[in-house]
Amino acid sequence: MSVEAGRTPGQTHRTAYDEETRARLAADSAAIIARYPQERSALLPMLHLVQSEDGYVSPRGIAFCASTLGLSTAEVSAVATFYTQYKRHPNGEYTVGVCTNTLCAVMGGDAIWEHLADHLGVGHDETTDDGAITLERIECNAACDYAPVVMVNWEFFDNQTPGSAAELADALRAGRPVAPTRGADSVISFKAMSRVLAGFEDGRADEGVGAGGPTVIGTRLAREKGWQAPAFPGDESGSTSEAGTGGATHQPQPGEEQSSAERPATTGSDVSAEAEQKKQASTDAKES
């Protein structure tokens, strides 16, 4: 048995938040809005915020975002229905996503999907009857170097097999802790992860390994063999990478400014009249 997409018979949506919940969401929304030069830019994280409250982007969540940002509910719904991370019906405690894009599929992703669907008795975007797992077929997890990959609430479980994926699902349903292959040391609930995606840290950002051996093998080979990227056209200083030669003078540290918008001009096009006009137009748009 599965919970089908949409409402189940007899289910009704709550129409509004109570005063305490609304005040809490309003305070969190104010913190989100303060990050942006234009208020409506806060819509994406605010949708994650209401999803962290309701477990999906509910009608009352849409109404809250619309009233807070001065948008229509149609505008908010248009965004919420465009991105797959926003759920329009109640989601399970864990979203289990199986990548079936080209490389993962070739490496066994299709077999994992078929086995999990049979094992759990649900299909794409359906939830197990205990509310524990919503199963999804994912186009790409951006982790081809570890194919086939399964994600649980967007945490990586690499090099999976049909058997290991089923064991993972069983552990989640039984309430046993599971540890991602990379990144954070644990998996949190769908609601808790939605709050993280809204921009509120949970203290797990620096846990675990971010990039394992398959990810950095190209960098390692470049250093061992002294390979370096060619210079950009017009850059008289040559490549700054100088892999393996010790030529790099500074390695950016976490939290440092690394935006290309802040770098000094290096080519003639950086200081052209056209470039200056584009920069001024961008500034004007932010201030309007």
Side-chain angles (χ1 to χ4, degrees), residues 70-196:
L71 301 172
S72 68
T73 54
E75 289 175 305
V76 176
S77 294
V79 175
T81 54
F82 185 83
Y83 297 102
T84 59
Q85 280 190 321
Y86 301 129
K87 310 304 180 183
R88 295 309 309 277
H89 54 88
N91 201 76
E93 184 174 3
Y94 302 101
T95 295
V96 175
V98 181
C99 182
T100 56
N101 213 328
T102 307
L103 184 56
C104 275
V106 170
M107 299 295 289
D110 284 343
I112 291 173
W113 167 261
E114 292 172 3
H115 185 68
L116 267 186
D118 289 341
H119 185 69
L120 296 174
V122 296
H124 172 68
D125 200 27
E126 294 181 351
T127 302
T128 55
D129 54 4
D130 57 3
I133 291 176
T134 295
L135 185 62
E136 283 190 348
R137 183 190 292 269
I138 303 295
E139 272 303 300
C140 183
N141 285 325
C144 301
D145 38 358
Y146 296 96
V149 173
V150 172
M151 298 195 84
V152 178
N153 291 347
W154 300 288
E155 300 289 0
F156 289 105
F157 289 80
D158 302 323
N159 304 121
Q160 292 294 294
T161 66
S164 67
E167 290 175 2
L168 171 62
D170 289 344
L172 293 171
R173 299 185 77 180
R176 299 193 300 271
V178 296
T181 309
R182 293 172 287 128
D185 294 335
S186 60
V187 170
I188 57 178
S189 70
F190 177 77
K191 287 184 177 181
M193 179 56 76
S194 294
R195 182 170 175 80
V196 173

